[in-house]
Each structure stands twice: as C-alpha cells, then as structure tokens.
Amino acid sequence: MSRSAKAEAALALHRFGMGPRPGSIAAIEADPRGALIAELDRPAISELAAANLPSSAKAYRAVTDAFAKRQAKAIVAKKEQDAKRQQMAEASAMMEGAASNTGEMAQKIAAEAVPDPGRQIYLDEARIRIAAALGAEIGFVERLVWFWSNHFCVSADKIRSMSGAYEREAIRPHVLGRFTDLLLAAEGHPAMLFYLDQTVSMGANSTAGLNRSRGLNENLAREILELHTLGVRSGYTQDDVIGFANILTGWTLVPPGDNPEHGGEFTFNPRLHEPGAQKVLGKSYEDETVEQGRAVLRDLAANPATASHVATKLARYFVADTPPPALVERIAKAFLDTGGDLKQVARVMVSSDEAWSEPPAKLKRPGEWVVGMVRATGLTQTDPVRYTDGQVLLGEPLWRPPSPKGFPDDEASWIDGMGRRLDVANYFAERIAGRTDPQDVIETVLGSQVSPEVKQAVGRAESRQQALVLLFMSAEFQRR
Amino acid sequence: MTFRHHLPTRREALIGAGSLFAWSQMPRLARAEGRDPRMLVIVLRGALDGLGAVAPVGDPDWIGLRGERALVLDGKPPALPLDGFFALNPAMPNLHRLYKAQQATIVHATATPYRERSHFDGQDVLESGIARPGAVDTGWLNRALAELASDGRVDPRGSRVLGVGSVTPLVVRGRAPVLSWVPQKLLPANEDTQARLLDLYKHTDPKLAAALEARMRLAALGATGPSDAAMVDAAALAAPGIAGVRAYFAEAAGTAARFLAKPDGPRVGAVGFVGWDTHINEGAASGQLANLLGALDGALAAIETNMGDAWRETVVAVITEFGRTARINGTNGTDHGTGTVAFLAGGGLRGGRVVADWPGLKQAQLYEERDLKPTTDLRAVLKGLLRDHLRIDERALATTVFPDSIGVAPTAGLVG
C-alpha cells in the first residue's frame, strides 16, 4: 500500500463509515481495517436509544385509534349539518350550496380536533436514526443498517406509523446475524406485508377466498424473488411466483381495531391460506402452515443466486458502481461458506484488498453526504423536521423509496442533483458558519486529507460560509 | 379490513420523480425547414392498466372479463366514446376533447419487446430502447438527440446541462447534454460561490463540473422564464392526498411546457410520474386509477395551456413499461400484465384515432391466457414520431436509437 496511514483511515471512514468526525482519523490511523472489524463487535448504540419508542404494532394501533376517533367526530358533525341543511333547504333552496360547504368544513374541523400521532412517530424514529449515524465512531454498522433497510425497503408513504419501527425490529437485530433470520424477519414484518399488499391476498380455494370470491395478490412473492433474494433474471418463472404467492397466503396482521393488545402484529390466518402442496423452483412444499412459507424463504436464502445478488449489491454500495469481480466473488463465497453469516460477510469485505484498491470515485448518496457534512461539524443531534425536509429536497426522502427496489445507488442516478446539494450545503453552511471554522474542519476532522486545490479554494473564500460550501461540495467530500 | 389512513399520499415520493429533463440545442435543423417541433415524453412508472384507461366497449367479451368493474358507456359516470369500439375513462375529459379536435391519438394493445413482468426490467427496456434489460446505461431519447448532434445539425456549443433534479431517468441519460429541473424550495447559493466551485471542479472532478455547469445554465434560462414556479410549488406542497398529486402533475408538466415554449428554451423533455402499480382497489370509472388518470389529464391540459402557440408544433407521448392482467385479481386490483395503451397528444398530431390491431379478449386470445396480447410494437410508434416529427434519420432509428429494430417499421402518418 502506497497510501499513507492517514489516507487509509480517511478512506475507511468515508467508504465504509458515515464520514470523519473531529479526531476520528487520528483515532483509527494505526489500524483502519482493524477498527472497522472492531466496530462489528461492539453493540450498536441505537438499539439502546430505540428502547423508548413504541413497537410497530403499538404505533399502528395508536394511529388506527386516532383515525377511528376522527371518523366518529366527522360522522357526528355530518349529522348535525344534515339536520341544519334540511331546515335551510326548507327555508330557501338558494342556500343549499352554502350549507353543504360549511358542512364539509365542520366535518373536517371536527376530525382535526383529534391529532394524528403518525407524523410525530415518524419524526421520533427519524431522530434516533440520525443520532445513531451522527454518534457512531465510524458508522460501519449503521451503513450496513442503511444498506439492508434499503434492500428490504418499505415505504412510509404507505405505512408511515411502522416505517421506523420496521427498521428497528426487522433490520437492526439481524444485520450482523444470519441472512436467513433477516429475511424471515423482514418478510414476516407487518410493515412489509402491508407495503406489498400481502394482508389482502387470499388463496382462491381458501375458506375466506371461497366465501368472498376474492383471491391472490402476487406482489410480495414476486418482489421477494426478484429484489430480496435471487434477483431478477435468475431463472424463476411466473408459475414460481404464483406457487410462492399461494404459499404466503395467510401471512397477515391482526386487525388493529379488533385487538387492543395484539392488533397490528403478525399472524398466520389459516382461513386465508391456499390449501394443498405448492411448487417453487421445482420443489414441492407440503406443509400447510406458516412453516410452508418459512421453508421457501430458508431455501431462497441458501440459493447461490441469492449469494451472488447480495454480494454484488454490497460491493456496489460500499466500493464502486462497477465493483471488482474478484471482490464480488469473494463476498459471495463468504456468504455461501458461512451459511449467510452477515458479520463474516462484512469482515471478509473489509479484509479484501480489492475493497481498498478502487479509487475513491463512488458518489455518496444524498443521505450519506448530509450525515457526513453534519458529522464533520461535530454535531451529534439535528432537528428531524429539518433533516427529513432536506432529504425530500435531495430526492431521497427518509423511508420513502420510489418503488420496492429502493433508492438507486449509482452515480448516474444522483449526479444531476448536484445543484440541489449545493443549495442544501449553502443553507447548512449559513447556519453553522458562526461556530465552525473551515480550516479547523480540514485540520482536525479531515486530517488534512484534502487536495491542495480544495485547501486553496477554502483559503481564498470570501466568507466562512462560502468556504464551508466549497469544502462540503468538494469531490473529496462527496466521493468515497 | 380497511386501512384508509394508510393509503399512500405519495406527495413526497413524487418530488424528484417529476423532474423535467430537457435539451436546448435540438431544434436547429427543423427550424431551418421552417418548423420548430417540440416533444415531451411522459413515463408512467408502475405499469398503467390500459384496459382500465381505454376500454374496448365494443368487444363482446369485455363485460364478461371485468364484470361490474368493466368501464362501460352507460356506467356511472359513463365512459367517453371514442370510435364506436373504444371508450375513454371518464376521468380524462381533456384528452377526450383533444381527441375530438384531432389532437390526440390512442395506441392500444401495445408493448415494448419486453415479455416478463418485472417493473424494473420493463422500465429498463422502455427507457433504454433495447430489447434486452440491463444492456446499456443510456436512453433512446438521448441517443436520438445525440444522433442529430453527430450529423452536425445541432450546435454543439451551449447547454452542457444543469442538474437541479435528483434522480435522472434512464430515457434521457447519455451523451447528449441534459438539463434538469425540480421545484425550487431553497434559495440557491449565489453566483460567486457557484463560479468558485465550478473552478474547483474543473481542476479536480470534470463530472461534477459538468453537473454544476448545467445547473448554472438552466438558472440563467430560468431567470427570464417561469416566474410563478415558486408559487405553484408552494400550493402543490400544501395540498394533501390526491389533490397534491394533481397539483404536482400539473406543475411538473406545466413547467416543462413553459420551458419548451420559450424561444430560446429546450425543445425535447421527459417527465416521470409514479403511482400506476394498482395491485389493490384499482377502481374503474372512479377510484385509485381514475384519480391518477384525472391528474394526468390535468397535466395534459397544463401542457396545452402553457405551450401557447407552440402547442401547434407539439407532440406529447405518454408511455408505460407494460400493462396489467386482463382480469381483476383477488384484491380488486390488477397484477403485472403485458399489452397496454400509449397516449399521444398535441397540436402537431394527425389525431382523432385509436391505433390498434385488436387481439380480442377471449381466454385463448390473451397473452399467456392472462394479459392483453400486444400487437403493436411501441418502438414502431416512437420511431414514427421521431422520424416524422423530429426528422431523425430512419436508419439511425433502426441501428442506434432502437438497435435491432430494423424489422419494426416506423408507424406512418401519426403527425400532420
């Protein structure tokens, strides 16, 4: 390695972590790779921070309850207005339009008297997630959480109350565990079942299906095969999708209004389940309980196509848009050899020379770049409203991917957003310029690991704000 | 089970998805011929239900196929009659008006060459213009313009793009310079900061330099351009649910039109709208799909209005990655299918027709016995527009823009 120890430490923080904080380059420069591996052995602080937040089921019940109360208030208001309108219509037909408008207004006002807890839950979840990213020594584990959360994404547009808790409950506990467990936790989580329409799918020949002449929804089964495990064009067929979708019927959640203690939790409802054996990828699954679906997931987790799909995505996320094939192979082999032990997979990745020899050309995603910028100032907390609004502006709204594929990860998807990043950097720099010295950031945060051109541009800037903008927008700060 | 409070509002997901991507150098050749054509491509992401949008009311198997969810002429509200066989979803009165005025054409039972059912591969084929997904990282619209540029018919100076957008759609990616726009909410960094940053990038990172230069160019264009964009933006962000979607579609498309209408503005653009993946509660004449079609209809009206006189030389092509299942699924929605519709609108069209080689709806006539069978290659339609409207060479269309499409003849007579 011709790279200096400081440069290797900076690369470790940018490429595998959340970016340097004051003093962090110096702290790990003796052994940057060892420091990354050591972080895998330390418990994630965010799990502690998360303990005070409601579970996804509880959050869901709270939102459902509030919604029911709003509906009830609106109905009462409507009845009152109907009575009034009746009187007015009798008095004067001309007045009817006006009465109708005030009626709708009254219903709206009555409903809004009951606050919707969903937004606050979302922001509280956002707050602890940001704190975890800002507070991490390196942030390697947090990056893994972000990776897997995007791989197994749900959208807050469809299920806001659960979107943050989903990550805490289904993703975080397993990112250093076995892929099988992560897969089972993600696919069986109520948020995922709701997001991919599984809660309303039923077997055409199930008890409920026969009674209600409704049936199958293929969405979850298809996305598991295409996005979460084997990957697209890996050889499964439409029949496999249908067989798997049949197997998954019955995977649903306890209706939140029906059960004050368990509403919103996962349940297997045999009344929705398609009876009989089903085939997926040539194998017959006989068991007709929830274990039928779990058996398919276990088999998918062990499939070599899954190892290859996951390895490619990991290498692309951490190292390069077009990662070195040798690195992908090494990661895939580790995945297969260890039965999907994700801690070993992460360890093999950062122990591979190929993961370090690629030039730092990978463009950070907006969220990574923003967190890197805030970390560089030494801040460990930030206003979740401002943060989430910023993410919307940058095209990467928190837990709101545009599709089940998650946010894209390549330069071509994001480079045209540079102008928007500039606006955000400008805004942030304006707010912190009073207490943040750009030279200080270069010396103590970046360990002087910026090019002479950047140093010169910062040195010649007409204001601290401008200097910070140039620094945060520099290639060294945006690429890894 | 009802979960109404969790129905997607989609507002925030839409931001970025509706970015305008456009070129400013395109129209030189056409101008020399005394024409100044505009083209806007709208990509509907999620696979539009073509049968739910344009119903074959004259097909004897139509009602049997969809039952009470079949769009019909005596429905509530009634479908809008087109040509005696097809009828339009009643959520699209503007498109219907344009159709009657010979300024809209509907292409039915159409699809790209893609025959599987993955959104992402389907969009890849739709936008790349290559029959095989994942083959290239450029889009057909960009390659079409690059083709013009390579003939020396486009002034290569000028517009190295600007990026204010977030995620650049594949259809516009490539060699030809792109500029992008999304609603502004922050005050931008001042010109001096931009100039210094550009200088820094020129010494350290040419790609970032190109992206920043593009933004500066668009900002300069915008300074004399759409002055009320910020106000419209505020309104769009304030509106909830479907009202917000309507406002956003209209703003994104309307702003695209304002740029395209400017004498010194771009001539070709692309906008993406998400939300068409209607697996559950799709509805027919009302419901989720009708809401979105209504928002799209409003977007078409905004384009027509904001184009002003340039509407006469405009073609808007609305396309989607594939269709949906012919039958309703178990959850009152539709799953991923194959054949679908494309909408064409604009004063430059010879419209008032439904272009379709109708395959029929009997079980055996469906693709894999489940989807509307595609009988018109969407590439033929797009090639027809590119050849006759933008005057792109037919050989280039068959080799560079849509490679391996030599057997797919451009549809003739689409434009007037």
Side-chain angles (χ1 to χ4, degrees):
Chain A
M1 265 297 128
S2 56
R3 201 183 287 124
S4 75
K6 259 194 172 41
E8 178 120 335
L11 185 62
L13 286 152
H14 282 294
R15 179 165 287 174
F16 296 106
M18 290 288 178
R21 296 192 306 168
S24 59
I25 286 180
I28 67 165
E29 69 180 303
D31 181 11
R33 299 187 197 194
L36 289 170
I37 290 168
E39 198 179 66
L40 297 174
D41 294 325
R42 282 198 298 274
I45 56 160
S46 53
E47 280 167 10
L48 301 173
N52 291 325
L53 293 176
S55 71
S56 58
K58 193 172 173 194
Y60 192 40
R61 289 197 297 272
V63 171
T64 307
D65 187 51
F67 181 73
K69 285 184 178 144
R70 290 167 80 113
Q71 288 285 83
K73 294 242 181 207
I75 288 166
V76 170
K78 183 173 190 311
K79 279 185 182 155
E80 286 172 1
Q81 287 298 323
D82 283 351
K84 263 189 211 167
R85 183 160 35 174
Q86 184 77 25
Q87 291 172 348
M88 290 175 84
E90 282 161 14
S92 161
M94 298 283 285
M95 294 296 289
E96 203 170 346
S100 164
N101 286 341
T102 53
E104 279 171 24
M105 188 72 81
Q107 284 176 56
K108 192 161 175 278
I109 290 167
E112 283 171 1
V114 181
D116 172 10
R119 176 175 162 80
Q120 194 55 50
I121 290 169
Y122 174 80
L123 290 174
D124 287 345
E125 293 283 356
R127 185 197 315 273
I128 68 118
R129 192 200 213 229
I130 305 158
L134 296 178
E137 287 296 321
I138 298 172
F140 185 29
V141 177
E142 281 304 303
R143 287 280 306 287
L144 287 166
V145 170
W146 288 21
F147 170 81
W148 288 113
S149 186
N150 193 56
H151 180 84
F152 290 109
C153 67
V154 299
S155 174
D157 277 326
K158 198 157 174 180
I159 185 136
R160 184 173 64 174
S161 64
M162 284 188 177
S163 58
Y166 163 78
E167 187 177 279
R168 281 191 293 115
E169 294 167 352
I171 307 295
R172 283 189 183 275
H174 303 293
V175 296
L176 299 174
R178 279 157 42 88
F179 178 78
T180 309
D181 297 327
L182 175 60
L183 181 67
L184 286 166
E187 312 302 358
H189 195 281
M192 180 66 80
L193 299 179
F194 194 91
Y195 174 51
L196 292 178
D197 308 322
Q198 182 61 27
T199 56
V200 289
S201 181
M202 59 185 80
N205 302 303
S206 67
T207 312
L210 290 170
N211 285 342
R212 299 168 65 184
S213 61
R214 292 174 61 178
L216 202 60
N217 187 304
E218 299 172 5
N219 206 8
L220 177 64
R222 178 182 302 284
E223 303 304 19
I224 290 174
L225 294 168
E226 175 177 335
L227 300 174
H228 299 167
T229 60
L230 307 179
V232 70
R233 304 193 292 279
S234 55
Y236 59 86
T237 66
Q238 177 62 32
D239 286 344
D240 293 321
V241 172
I242 291 171
F244 191 18
N246 275 326
I247 287 172
L248 290 173
T249 51
W251 288 44
T252 186
L253 48 87
V254 180
D258 292 7
N259 189 322
E261 280 169 22
H262 298 291
E265 292 175 2
F266 174 84
T267 187
F268 177 77
N269 183 346
R271 287 173 47 79
L272 305 177
H273 190 66
E274 178 71 12
Q278 299 288 337
K279 263 194 174 170
V280 179
L281 301 175
K283 179 170 167 182
S284 184
Y285 294 86
E286 315 283 336
D287 193 330
E288 294 183 30
T289 70
V290 68
E291 291 306 321
Q292 193 181 21
R294 289 185 182 150
V296 179
L297 290 172
R298 284 191 197 98
D299 287 342
L300 290 173
N303 192 302
T306 299
S308 159
H309 181 211
V310 163
T312 306
K313 278 190 75 174
L314 269 170
R316 188 189 301 139
Y317 174 69
F318 281 103
V319 179
D321 285 357
T322 309
L327 177 65
V328 175
E329 278 165 34
R330 210 186 287 276
I331 296 170
K333 184 170 185 305
F335 189 98
L336 283 174
D337 288 352
T338 65
D341 181 332
L342 297 178
K343 189 167 168 180
Q344 291 306 321
V345 167
R347 187 192 290 266
V348 164
M349 177 171 67
V350 297
S351 303
S352 304
D353 285 340
E354 296 94 341
W356 299 85
S357 54
E358 283 290 304
K362 172 100 187 160
L363 190 67
K364 290 180 186 175
R365 292 240 293 271
E368 298 154 0
W369 171 75
V370 168
V371 160
M373 191 162 67
V374 179
R375 277 170 69 94
T377 66
L379 293 173
T380 55
Q381 299 287 328
T382 185
D383 174 5
V385 175
R386 205 165 264 142
Y387 179 86
T388 51
D389 284 356
Q391 289 293 92
V392 171
L393 284 174
L394 292 168
E396 196 185 26
L398 179 62
W399 295 318
R400 288 185 154 93
S403 83
K405 195 175 182 181
F407 288 106
D409 199 36
D410 57 329
E411 176 181 299
S413 294
W414 299 106
I415 195 164
D416 292 328
M418 245 353 94
R420 199 43 73 114
R421 288 196 195 193
L422 175 57
D423 294 341
V424 169
N426 191 56
Y427 174 78
F428 181 65
E430 185 183 17
R431 291 175 49 79
I432 60 162
R435 58 174 183 271
T436 308
D437 179 350
Q439 291 297 350
D440 211 40
V441 174
I442 290 178
E443 297 304 321
T444 64
V445 181
L446 302 174
S448 293
Q449 295 299 305
V450 292
S451 65
E453 290 89 346
V454 171
K455 282 182 187 161
Q456 188 181 62
V458 167
R460 289 180 179 176
E462 65 172 10
S463 65
R464 273 188 171 191
Q465 180 188 356
Q466 189 179 61
L468 288 165
V469 171
L470 296 174
L471 188 56
F472 294 145
M473 290 299 292
S474 69
E476 284 94 330
F477 213 84
Q478 294 208 63
R479 295 189 184 275
R480 53 161 61 111
Chain B
M1 279 188 278
T2 57
F3 297 96
R4 282 191 50 203
H5 55 290
H6 272 308
L7 287 177
T9 63
R10 290 212 167 88
R11 173 169 62 80
E12 282 155 300
L14 287 167
I15 293 178
S19 316
L20 161 70
F21 294 86
W23 291 265
S24 67
Q25 296 304 315
M26 227 296 295
R28 306 299 182 215
L29 170 71
R31 267 188 191 150
E33 293 173 351
R35 293 171 64 253
D36 188 9
R38 271 79 162 180
M39 182 165 173
L40 181 65
V41 174
I42 298 179
V43 178
L44 306 182
R45 293 179 194 285
L48 165 70
D49 178 10
L51 291 169
V54 180
V57 293
D59 188 307
D61 296 302
W62 170 235
I63 292 177
L65 189 71
R66 292 235 166 154
E68 61 182 16
R69 286 170 197 281
L71 204 58
V72 288
L73 290 173
D74 56 354
K76 291 177 187 171
L80 309 170
L82 293 171
D83 64 353
F85 188 84
F86 293 104
L88 184 64
N89 192 297
M92 306 194 80
N94 284 309
L95 184 64
H96 191 245
R97 175 178 53 77
L98 292 170
Y99 180 93
K100 291 286 172 198
Q102 274 84 54
Q103 295 186 0
T105 299
I106 286 157
V107 184
H108 217 320
T110 186
T112 69
Y114 182 67
R115 288 293 174 272
E116 303 301 319
R117 298 186 179 90
S118 156
H119 285 308
F120 315 111
D121 273 0
Q123 286 169 22
D124 197 88
V125 170
L126 177 73
E127 297 185 51
S128 72
I130 313 269
R132 184 164 45 89
V136 295
D137 194 33
T138 58
W140 57 263
L141 196 49
N142 192 299
R143 290 197 306 277
L145 294 175
E147 192 57 42
L148 282 181
S150 71
D151 282 7
R153 292 181 292 189
V154 171
D155 184 349
R157 293 164 299 171
S159 182
R160 294 287 146 223
V161 191
L162 148 57
V164 191
S166 38
V167 179
T168 306
L170 178 62
V171 70
V172 298
R173 286 192 205 166
R175 206 153 50 80
V178 182
L179 47 86
S180 75
W181 175 92
V182 290
Q184 276 287 353
K185 271 190 78 187
L186 296 179
L187 283 176
N190 66 33
E191 285 177 21
D192 179 54
T193 303
Q194 294 184 36
R196 287 178 192 232
L197 187 57
L198 182 60
D199 186 54
L200 176 60
Y201 285 163
K202 279 182 171 162
H203 290 100
T204 57
D205 197 318
K207 280 185 179 172
L208 291 178
L212 182 64
E213 253 185 320
R215 166 215 172 82
M216 293 167 75
R217 191 165 300 277
L218 189 63
L221 188 62
T224 55
S227 56
D228 52 343
M231 288 174 64
V232 180
D233 181 31
L237 291 170
I242 187 63
V245 172
R246 291 188 72 97
Y248 192 85
F249 277 25
E251 187 202 350
T255 303
R258 273 199 299 269
F259 277 118
L260 264 56
K262 287 167 65 71
D264 56 345
R267 286 298 176 268
V268 175
V271 175
F273 290 138
V274 302
W276 304 87
D277 196 17
T278 47
H279 281 284
I280 57 172
N281 301 328
E282 173 176 311
S286 61
Q288 195 189 162
L289 176 64
N291 282 342
L292 284 163
L293 289 173
L296 175 63
D297 197 56
L300 292 172
I303 295 166
E304 182 189 5
T305 303
N306 291 357
M307 277 291 179
D309 290 344
W311 177 251
R312 280 185 287 116
E313 297 182 286
T314 296
V315 170
V316 183
V318 185
I319 56 178
T320 187
E321 68 262 26
F322 45 70
R324 311 194 68 80
T325 45
R327 285 180 206 82
I328 301 293
N329 71 10
T331 54
N332 297 330
T334 49
D335 290 313
H336 302 182
T338 309
T340 187
V341 296
F343 301 118
L344 310 178
L349 284 172
R350 213 169 79 200
R353 298 177 290 150
V354 180
V355 175
D357 174 8
W358 192 244
L361 296 175
K362 293 189 194 310
Q363 178 77 4
Q365 293 169 330
L366 297 177
Y367 179 72
E368 293 189 345
E369 301 195 339
R370 63 176 258 158
D371 310 334
L372 177 63
K373 182 181 289 176
T375 50
T376 297
D377 192 320
L378 185 60
R379 293 176 300 177
V381 177
L382 298 171
K383 284 170 78 170
L385 295 178
L386 292 173
R387 184 189 66 182
D388 298 337
H389 189 56
L390 298 189
R391 298 276 189 262
I392 292 173
D393 179 69
E394 190 167 332
R395 184 181 38 80
L397 288 174
T399 55
T400 318
V401 180
F402 294 101
D404 307 319
S405 71
I406 200 134
V408 182
T411 307
L414 289 173
V415 295

